[in-house]
Amino acid sequence: MPFSTNQYSRSRSPSPSGGPPIHIRDEYEDSVGSDIEDNSPDLRTLTSRAPFVASTSSPSNLNQNLLYPRSDNYGRDNVSPCSTASATPIPSRSSSPQPLYLHTSSSSSDDSDSEYPFLSSSLSRRASSWRERPRWWQMGGSRRRRRRDTISWVRTTKRIFRRLIRHPFVPKTPLTIILTLLLLTAFGVSLTFLLIYILNPDKEPLPWRGYCTIPSFTELPPPSSLPPTASFPYFPPKNFTPPSFPPDDFETLSPAGVFLGIFSIDTGIERRMSIRLTYASHARSREGAGKGDGGLGTSRTIIRFILGQPRKDWERRIQLEIDKYHDIIILPVSENMNGGKSHAFFTWASSNAWVPPLYSTNFSSIPEGLTYTNATSPPPALAMHDPVFAHRDKESSNPMPWVHPDFVLKADDDAFVMLAELEAHLRVALHAQPAPHAVKDLPVQTLSDRDIQNDTLIFHTPLDSTSSDDSHTATNSPNTLISSPPSDPSPLQNNDPLIYWGYLVKNRFMAGELYGLSYSLVNWIAKDPQIKGLTRGAEDKQTSKWMRLHPRASEVRWVSERCWIYDHPRAGTVYSHGFLFPSEVKRVQRDVLFDLEHNASQESTTLDKSSSISAFSPFGPYGASPPTWSRSTVSTFGIRYSLPISDLTTDQSIEALVEGSEMSRLREGTSSPGTIDHAWRHREGKLKRYNGRRLGGTIAVHFIKKNMWFLEAALALLEGEDITEVERSHAEEDSQLHRKAVLLESHPRTRLLDDVIVEGS
């Protein structure tokens, strides 16, 4: 049978000695033999190139066709000649040999042992090479395996990417690519804002006008069952009086010792300098409006900046700042926001916070029997903004020792604090002695099962009720709004005040921009082992948890101030409105009281006898406040602030940020230069805005994220004329009219100037 000429043209070569032809292994087989695992040829290729012993047409010559041993350089020195059909014998092997990987025996001269000696020898070497291959615990094999895995992963990725870009929906032209990118960008932005809206708990502006009108009727810890959206959870008594601050006997109360720690970071140098030069030392911040009190009220108020461990390249800069200003405290913790810095601060303050003593005893009310007043310390190095009384005492021959503060407060450096107002509110809280477990003239509302199931609330107490019967007393139900007093007194019972002061947020915790604890609570936080395991998390929420874990938690007074603490007008948050002064608050209270009276008159004519308050009442756990109580003449929630009129001067733009001012009511396109000039000339001076008093205004402005906002707050709250030109002219006219009235009373028959008085009329 004739054999193909080209199929085995490279598989045979004449023997150098005239013997039978031998097989020549080409470079491909050399590479296969060196690494069978890395380069595994196809089975068909190996079969077509497999060596065999050539045979002649004569059977007698068959045994002479023995394969000669292969020399090492034979494959390089010999080239297989082309064979013809007549010179190519019929192979002495089956047409379908077994797979090559089964031939693992060594070569032999006997045809019965191995039909293909060279192939058997090659496979034997391959098997030996496989057995000698590095195992998984050997580095070489691991590297090759990782390299193969990496190459396989890259190839798979390329294959997937190639299939994706060939998909018909994938854009391929420049125009479609640009449109797709724009579409994906719009989708990403929309999704981001949607998530922000869903996760943001503050979606509606707060009724700050109601906060300034309706007082807080209890200082009990808010129950956990109270909804966080309840702005006015308690029913007010009949004819309640809006809060007025300060009380008439305020000046007879001794000043409170206040240690204010302002949380800062190593890079906040510019903000620290702004604080030093503004509210930390300004006379209007420390003494109040008008002539002030000479700094006596804040003579025991100390400000220090609280930092964690500064970074390595900032250590020398911070040390130089400490040596210069003496007002920086470095805590033994790394700088963090919610990683335990607040607990480290209170722990430090329990032993190292000192304030000046009471320099004057000419006060009718001085707290007595306080345990922490026994500890004293020599006066430390004074800062430039420390009270003037402390500087005078330090320069004397016998300075008085310092004592522990009555309050330790934490504030953020993005808050602008009026120190005299802060100390005044803490002073009133310190001297007040309310009954912590009795809310006088305050009816207690409970929720019926039907009201809870229907998620509605119907009050069973009329608005003008001044007494409570059995149906209004507190119970042990989880739906009760006021908790009952503890049965057993705590072993920590003493006369030290337990006060938790700040802005109550969602009936859960005091806002972190500014809150304070009485010294007794601070000392307990530093020593209680349970608190040391609850230091990480949102620091303001963690502080609230600490207060609820106190052994006398029901006696801790939660003193909330939600009228005079707010966000900057440009912040655009639910806590934002214009800079607030007492004169505007008086007008706000008048409007809110009118709304309450109008609502009560409508309810008395439309409601049935089974309920006395409609579902739209602002009071109760699910009360709804009127939208007008959230209105501001300066800012609008959800809309970025812009000047009401362009091209205003600096002073006029500051006046436009004042809540209720005529300048803030002007709008672009409806105001002429005459109206702008009229609004500016008829602005209120500081004395009129404070109703002729020293105190009673803004305590803190928060969320001051830009230095320009900080300067705006400083100009609005610290600067400005006490009496404007228009007010001075009006005062002179009033003075002249007063003199005329006095003259008329003393000389009724006298003709004065242009006033004609007819005798006997």
Side-chain angles (χ1 to χ4, degrees), residues 223 225-235 444-448 451-452 455-459 479-482 507 615 617-625:
S225 60
L226 193 65
T229 56
S231 296
F232 309 99
Y234 303 115
F235 203 126
V444 181
Q445 305 86 27
T446 58
L447 305 180
S448 64
D451 297 335
I452 296 174
D455 197 20
T456 58
L457 177 66
I458 299 178
F459 289 94
N479 299 319
T480 304
L481 298 184
I482 298 181
N507 300 311
S617 172
F619 305 109
Y622 302 99
S625 302

Side-chain angles (χ1 to χ4, degrees), residues 527-547:
K527 298 179 180 179
D528 189 87
Q530 185 180 5
I531 301 301
K532 295 181 181 180
L534 299 173
T535 59
R536 295 186 177 274
E539 52 94 13
D540 45 6
K541 297 181 181 179
Q542 290 298 109
T543 305
S544 175
K545 293 180 182 178
W546 302 342
M547 297 301 101

Side-chain angles (χ1 to χ4, degrees), residues 33-49:
S34 62
D35 191 357
I36 187 172
E37 183 177 13
D38 292 341
N39 301 297
S40 300
D42 188 79
L43 181 61
R44 292 173 299 178
T45 304
L46 290 176
T47 304
S48 63
R49 300 172 63 89

Side-chain angles (χ1 to χ4, degrees), residues 582-592 659-660 684:
S583 60
E584 176 63 17
V585 169
K586 288 294 183 183
R587 293 187 284 267
V588 166
Q589 292 175 351
R590 178 193 60 199
D591 296 340
V592 171
E659 185 67 38
E684 293 181 338

Side-chain angles (χ1 to χ4, degrees), residues 703-716:
F703 210 89
I704 305 179
K705 299 303 182 181
K706 299 181 180 180
N707 292 329
M708 183 188 71
W709 299 3
F710 190 92
L711 296 177
E712 289 176 343
L715 290 174

Side-chain angles (χ1 to χ4, degrees), residues 570-596:
R570 292 180 181 268
T573 65
V574 296
Y575 308 93
S576 297
H577 55 74
F579 296 118
L580 200 57
F581 292 95
S583 60
E584 176 63 17
V585 169
K586 288 294 183 183
R587 293 187 284 267
V588 166
Q589 292 175 351
R590 178 193 60 199
D591 296 340
V592 171
L593 290 177
F594 175 80
D595 293 339
L596 292 176

Side-chain angles (χ1 to χ4, degrees), residues 23 27 112 143 224 257 610 616 627 673 697:
H23 172 71
E27 296 178 0
S112 62
R143 277 196 298 269
S224 58
S610 61
F616 300 100

Side-chain angles (χ1 to χ4, degrees), residues 32-75:
V32 172
S34 62
D35 191 357
I36 187 172
E37 183 177 13
D38 292 341
N39 301 297
S40 300
D42 188 79
L43 181 61
R44 292 173 299 178
T45 304
L46 290 176
T47 304
S48 63
R49 300 172 63 89
F52 63 92
V53 179
S55 63
T56 60
S57 60
S58 176
S60 60
N61 297 331
L62 182 62
N63 295 331
Q64 298 179 358
N65 296 332
L66 300 178
L67 195 62
Y68 292 94
R70 186 181 70 87
S71 61
D72 294 335
N73 59 352
Y74 190 83

